[in-house]
Amino acid sequence: MVAVERAWLRMISVLFKPFSLSFWLILAVCAYLAALGTPSDNTFQFVSHFFTQGYMEQPLEEFGKAAQQSAAGDSEALETACRKIAENLSIAALFAWMGIAVIAGILFLWIRSVAEFVYLEKLVHRTSGFFQLVARYCRLGTSAFFWRIGYSIASGMLTMLLMMIPLAFSIGWIQSCINEHEIVRPSVIAVVGIVLSIVTGVFVGLILRCVIFYFNQFIVPVMYVRQETSFAATVTFWKIFRGHAWTFIKYLIVYIVLIIAAAILLGIIFGILLLVSFILSSGELNIVFSTPLLKVVIFLPLVVFFRLVSLELLNQFYSSKLL
């Protein structure tokens, strides 16, 4: 695709013509925030590990030792270890952590939704400043935030509903298992119902995942270009998609291929660096691998390239006055 070549050339232009270390670092922060809470970002796991380190570490180590002692015939050791884990992990603490996780997820999603537009502004116009841009794009970011919240709730309910319909054929088998307190042999209808439920869940999940992919890749840039709300931008993109569906399907295929190629390349690089770190017994490289922001700073050209591909594709339609 022409958009891939143009994205690569624009990435070089944005980052290296001219090169500015301050712009590089600010853009890396924006790119990091624009991906906050996504599957590629492990910030929450990093922070959670930082705050919980030592809280359950010792009880779990004792549980492992007790399991070995229990295998050797000492059952009291295992019971003592389980009691210590229960003391450290109460129900109240469990619900507290669940509440923190939900609040952090919502906060991360809002920050990400606003940061996406700041990131786009810096990529397109190399605009200086950060907090001024946050204030400027807060409205659009909040609109994208509510779109994602509503879509997550609606898609989750739809998936459950569509999975429950074929699963209804297995209700009799499930009830038999409950009554017998064991797994009984299912009938052919029950097996068909379970298989159809799984296939439906996978199929619907893939379609819904494609929708959120196109939202992130295209609808958010349409919001940025036209200064529209998420709903209006969705309608605008749908009009473009209807007339050029095959172009966007090819884009999805090419994007997946590029992601796989990038994953292989990064895997080779990380493997070499980990080997060097192991040989030199250096802990500094491990810090880089475990810190999300530092990884974005180092691999910023790749991050910027993947963001620019969809922009370059949209730019073709923008030149054609479709936007």
Side-chain angles (χ1 to χ4, degrees), residues 33-39 105-117 120 137 140-156 208-209 211-221 223 230-231 234 307:
L33 293 176
L36 198 63
T38 60
I106 294 175
L107 180 61
F108 283 5
L109 182 60
W110 183 81
I111 293 174
R112 170 194 166 195
S113 298
V114 176
E116 283 178 319
F117 295 96
L120 288 173
Y137 291 107
L140 290 179
T142 303
S143 177
F145 166 76
F146 282 117
W147 189 99
R148 289 189 172 104
I149 291 290
Y151 180 79
S152 299
I153 296 174
S155 61
L208 295 176
R209 187 67 187 88
V211 173
I212 198 67
F213 171 81
Y214 284 119
F215 179 83
N216 296 332
Q217 293 291 313
F218 296 105
I219 296 178
V220 168
M223 293 175 65
S230 55
F231 178 78
T234 302
R307 174 70 276 190

Side-chain angles (χ1 to χ4, degrees), residues 23 26 118 121-122 125-133 136:
F23 177 75
I26 293 175
V118 178
E121 178 68 22
K122 287 191 171 295
H125 299 295
R126 294 179 64 99
T127 309
S128 60
F130 179 78
F131 293 104
Q132 300 91 334
L133 296 178
R136 182 193 303 179

Side-chain angles (χ1 to χ4, degrees), residues 44 47-48 51-52 55 89 91-102:
F44 184 78
V47 174
S48 177
F51 282 105
T52 59
Y55 181 71
L89 189 62
I91 297 299
L94 182 61
F95 277 104
W97 274 111
M98 290 175 59
I100 292 173
V102 172

